[in-house]
Amino acid sequence: MSDDGDKTELTAFQAALAAEHAAVYGYGVVGGRVDDRRRGEAKAAYDAHRARRDALAREVRDLGGRPVAASAAYALPFAVRDPADAVRLAARLEQRVAGVYADLVRSTAGARRTSAAEALREAAVRAVGWSGRSVAFPGLAERAGEGTGTGTDAGTGAETAAGADTATGAGAAGATPSGSASAVR
């Protein structure tokens, strides 16, 4: 891969890592508000995002980068006051993460692409579980409705996963860090 290709791949991995940081934060909120019958589902998603986050940090280091750090807090796309809001937030988190992984699939090849595609599939399946709806092209269709083809959020300008899209291709999972210029929708 060329130096430009390596830089693009590293940028996509950093965006995915930022998205996973935001997803982990978001699921902390979901877990605190979701009703008892869905708490196990929220815990499983939280654990899955933590595992992906850790794997992505290793990938970033393997590519010669310094993993982006999590923000202390993230602005949520809406107030989460009850179990219905928590379910809606979980669906949003997964849709946003799927968008970031779609970018990662596009930026990688070989085993890394396979892993990114698996992460995209997992996020899409969880999004359907939370929202009850599916889309033809997970990770792409969600962003089309927001008027953006790339997105960023999670503290590093990564928003796709968080909600407020910017044009960096980075993504955060449903939340933007507090004080950031991007907002989660």
Side-chain angles (χ1 to χ4, degrees):
M1 192 175 268
S2 71
D3 285 344
D4 287 341
D6 289 343
K7 185 176 180 181
T8 299
E9 187 175 39
L10 179 57
T11 299
F13 271 103
Q14 290 281 34
L17 177 56
E20 290 293 4
H21 283 312
V24 168
Y25 178 90
Y27 269 103
V29 174
V30 169
R33 295 279 191 235
V34 76
D35 63 29
D36 289 340
R37 67 183 176 81
R38 300 210 66 185
R39 189 155 288 125
E41 189 178 351
K43 173 74 167 95
Y46 174 80
D47 290 343
H49 286 291
R50 287 182 58 203
R52 286 279 177 198
R53 177 202 61 196
D54 296 346
L56 287 165
R58 284 189 298 275
E59 286 290 344
V60 166
R61 282 190 288 277
D62 289 348
L63 289 168
R66 182 173 176 216
V68 63
S71 293
Y74 294 84
L76 299 174
F78 49 84
V80 180
R81 296 183 176 103
D82 58 30
D85 289 340
V87 167
R88 210 164 42 106
L89 177 59
R92 177 82 56 96
L93 293 170
E94 297 300 347
Q95 291 162 352
R96 302 305 179 144
V97 169
V100 175
Y101 280 113
D103 291 343
L104 188 57
V105 168
R106 185 179 64 234
S107 300
T108 56
R112 287 182 173 137
R113 177 174 279 174
T114 300
S115 178
E118 178 64 18
L120 169 57
R121 185 196 64 77
E122 289 172 4
V125 168
R126 281 191 300 266
V128 169
W130 288 110
S131 70
R133 297 178 309 219
S134 65
V135 295
F137 299 102
L140 301 177
E142 292 88 348
R143 293 185 300 176
E146 296 170 11
T148 163
T150 60
T152 65
D153 207 335
T156 63
E159 270 184 58
T160 300
D165 293 318
T166 67
T168 67
T176 301
S178 313
S180 162
S182 348
V184 177
R185 304 182 242 240

